[in-house]
Amino acid sequence: MADIEKKPVKIVETILRDAQQSLIATRMPTEEMLPIIDKMDQIGYYAVECWGGATFDSCLRFLKEDPWERLRKLRQGFKNTKLQMLFRGQNILGYNHYADDVVEYFVQKSIANGIDIIRIFDCLNDVRNLETAVKATKKEGGHAQIALCYTLGDAYTLDYWKGLAKRIEDMGADSLCIKDMAGLLCPYPAVELVKALKEGTTLPIDIHTHYTSGMASMTYMKAVEAGADIIDCACSPLSLGTSQPSSEVMVKAFQGTPYDTGLDVEKMTEICDYFEPYKEEALKSGLLNPKVMGVNVNTLKYQVPGGMLSNLVKQLSDAGQADKLQAVLEEIPRVRKDFGEPPLVTPSSQIVGTQAVMNVLSGERYKMVPKESKKLAMGEFGQTVKPMDPEVQKKIVGDETPITCRPADLIKPQLAGFEKEMAQYKRQPEDVLSYALFPNVAKEYFEYRETQDTGIDKAKVKDGAYPV
Ligand code: CO
């Protein structure tokens, strides 16, 4: 192999974000991470994905932690390794579009508190929704990676992907990611996709997939051979299933080839040893359901992300209609077509899924239309790759005229208003951002924090239970 050019593949380690989000509902507390980050810092990962996505919400809502404090602690521990976060374009980490001033401030604070690489995506692949976040990232000196949400459908030709890659490069991104949230990318199509992207751009290409359909490590291998530069992997105890391929296995698989990562598997297994008991505990407590560890063939059949599938099952059984699952799964592709064939990723996956449930349960298509479906039909999430079905759109929006501009162009600055609303809770500048994204959850957390710091329940102070 001496005459073959060496092209070491880079590894992004996801155990602190996507792996734990996918397998254990993002419930890993900071204290579980801190004892091992010094060792993780010695490995030589290209980056550690550790923040954003659902981690922020989960910190505030379930773990009663300040997500900003988590980030600062991780930054302190990771002295050599780049920290990466996942960022939902104009939605930031929430489910609605925010004004540009909130997006810019969030980016600024993320980088100021320790993030190096911001992976930015939009659920419709509408690049207008990425512009503000990308510009802000560049302005703050960060690395802006744009992620394409990978999906299948008539509109998603190799030319489409190639064109998108070019636009992404033109926008000033530093790298590009193929984000295959549902594990739909098969090994051979991955070769074609990577080649097409390489025709459209010279940016480094990162592949992100999930093992849900049992395909992921084969896809990585073929994608790397085709020229992909970076692969997202998870430390073995929280790898496979709905998570990523195992970091250690991928490193081993490329050893002695031109793609050799140069990473030390022995050292990496020490990190596995650390997380193994945590995994065992999670299995015992039920936090980790063994079901999500296997191959889910329905993913290949229905092309819906694993998380979406489990949401549907829950929605239906809560409504006492578990027997309707098959009908809903068949309705999903139809709704998706009506809605202009969007990728299925938060929040479009919830919108399409919920609409399909309503169409089936109500017995008449689009008789019941949730607010979010209407917003999508009104163009308030941006432009879908194909136009919506005109009849369906008409049924949903009635006489209203959908917008065609970038949705955030219609949103006035919001920061000052949020500042005012939460002034009484503010302890650090970042608090306003927690509040902007998750107002009720943040407020509850702030109230909890007050009692923690003082040992005094402020509510009881008001009640006169304590002398003031
Ligand atoms: Co993912």
Side-chain angles (χ1 to χ4, degrees), residues 17-18 22 179 181 208-210 244:
R17 207 286 297 176
D18 203 1
S22 301
K179 180 177 163 62
M181 50 281 164
H208 175 92
T209 187
H210 289 254
Q244 273 79 50

Side-chain angles (χ1 to χ4, degrees), residues 125-128 131 146 160-173 176 200-201 203 383:
N125 285 330
D126 181 344
V127 295
R128 298 173 307 170
E131 277 162 12
I146 294 184
Y160 166 82
W161 295 118
K162 186 172 135 184
L164 207 49
K166 190 175 175 337
R167 285 175 77 185
I168 284 171
E169 181 165 335
D170 292 346
M171 278 174 71
L176 182 158
T201 177
L203 294 176
Q383 197 177 23

Side-chain angles (χ1 to χ4, degrees), residues 3 29 84 108 125 138 150 155 158 160 167 173 210 234 244 273 330 335 401 428 444 457 460:
D3 53 341
Q84 182 172 311
Q108 186 194 328
N125 285 330
K138 297 309 295 170
Y150 180 74
L158 289 175
Y160 166 82
R167 285 175 77 185
H210 289 254
Q244 273 79 50
D273 292 344
E330 282 162 19
V335 171
T401 312
Q428 57 177 349
E444 249 173 56
D457 187 338
K460 287 189 184 156

Side-chain angles (χ1 to χ4, degrees), residues 11-20 28 30 32-51 74-75 77-84 233-238 247-248 263-264 266-275:
I11 304 276
V12 171
E13 172 56 55
T14 68
I15 190 162
L16 303 184
R17 207 286 297 176
D18 203 1
Q20 62 125 343
M28 190 190 288
T30 306
E32 206 61 52
M33 305 173 177
L34 295 181
I36 194 66
I37 58 179
D38 185 45
K39 268 200 176 137
M40 289 179 75
D41 194 33
Q42 310 302 318
I43 298 298
Y45 303 117
Y46 173 69
V48 169
E49 191 198 41
C50 63
W51 210 63
L74 291 173
R75 179 73 281 172
F78 283 106
K79 295 180 172 65
N80 310 302
T81 312
K82 287 186 182 133
L83 300 185
Q84 182 172 311
C233 305
C235 179
S236 294
L238 291 187
S247 306
E248 296 71 35
L263 303 189
D264 183 342
E266 288 287 307
K267 266 194 188 165
M268 292 171 83
T269 57
E270 290 176 29
I271 300 163
C272 301
D273 292 344
Y274 171 81
F275 281 113

Side-chain angles (χ1 to χ4, degrees), residues 88-142:
R88 216 174 279 147
Q90 208 69 26
N91 299 350
I92 310 179
L93 308 175
Y95 308 106
N96 291 304
H97 278 236
Y98 287 90
D100 287 333
D101 66 341
V102 182
V103 175
E104 284 158 2
Y105 195 47
F106 202 100
V107 167
Q108 186 194 328
K109 285 297 173 192
S110 301
I111 292 177
N113 281 285
I115 290 294
D116 299 290
I117 303 172
I118 306 192
R119 173 178 291 170
I120 307 160
F121 76 98
D122 175 66
C123 76
L124 302 181
N125 285 330
D126 181 344
V127 295
R128 298 173 307 170
N129 294 333
L130 309 171
E131 277 162 12
T132 301
V134 170
K135 262 190 217 147
T137 304
K138 297 309 295 170
K139 182 171 167 235
E140 301 300 326

Side-chain angles (χ1 to χ4, degrees), residues 159-385:
D159 272 343
Y160 166 82
W161 295 118
K162 186 172 135 184
L164 207 49
K166 190 175 175 337
R167 285 175 77 185
I168 284 171
E169 181 165 335
D170 292 346
M171 278 174 71
D174 297 293
S175 61
L176 182 158
C177 171
I178 301 167
K179 180 177 163 62
D180 177 26
M181 50 281 164
L184 301 177
L185 184 58
C186 299
Y188 291 94
V191 171
E192 288 179 11
L193 178 60
V194 170
K195 283 185 178 158
L197 293 176
K198 291 247 162 200
E199 283 171 23
T201 177
T202 55
L203 294 176
I205 295 177
D206 184 329
I207 309 260
H208 175 92
T209 187
H210 289 254
Y211 230 119
T212 327
S213 62
M215 199 100 66
S217 56
M218 292 182 278
T219 299
Y220 277 177
M221 183 160 276
K222 295 307 284 181
V224 166
E225 287 172 2
D229 303 272
I230 308 161
I231 51 176
D232 288 12
C233 305
C235 179
S236 294
L238 291 187
S239 69
L240 312 185
T242 50
S243 173
Q244 273 79 50
S246 146
S247 306
E248 296 71 35
V249 170
M250 291 314 301
V251 166
K252 193 83 189 167
F254 287 118
Q255 259 176 13
T257 75
Y259 314 107
D260 197 327
T261 62
L263 303 189
D264 183 342
V265 177
E266 288 287 307
K267 266 194 188 165
M268 292 171 83
T269 57
E270 290 176 29
I271 300 163
C272 301
D273 292 344
Y274 171 81
F275 281 113
E276 197 57 47
Y278 179 70
K279 176 195 179 173
E280 291 304 320
E281 235 174 80
L283 274 169
K284 244 183 247 155
S285 71
L287 181 59
L288 175 55
N289 182 342
K291 263 194 183 165
V292 302
M293 302 299 293
V295 171
N296 185 342
V297 281
N298 284 334
T299 299
L300 289 177
K301 198 167 162 195
Y302 302 113
Q303 300 176 2
V304 301
M308 181 178 169
L309 201 61
S310 49
N311 271 345
L312 288 174
V313 171
K314 191 173 181 317
Q315 269 182 15
L316 287 171
S317 50
D318 286 354
Q321 307 268 1
D323 58 320
K324 299 279 185 359
L325 181 64
Q326 191 55 36
V328 169
L329 285 170
E330 282 162 19
E331 175 66 0
I332 285 173
R334 291 193 287 258
V335 171
R336 187 174 163 236
K337 259 223 148 88
D338 292 343
F339 282 6
E341 225 171 37
L344 296 178
V345 62
T346 308
S348 56
S349 50
Q350 282 88 333
I351 300 171
V352 170
T354 306
Q355 186 63 61
V357 167
M358 299 224 163
N359 285 358
V360 168
L361 295 192
S362 70
E364 184 192 328
R365 305 187 77 220
Y366 306 106
K367 184 179 170 192
M368 286 163 69
V369 175
K371 171 168 118 257
E372 302 298 304
S373 288
K374 187 171 176 198
K375 278 174 76 173
L376 185 71
M378 284 294 292
E380 288 171 29
F381 285 101
Q383 197 177 23
T384 47
V385 59

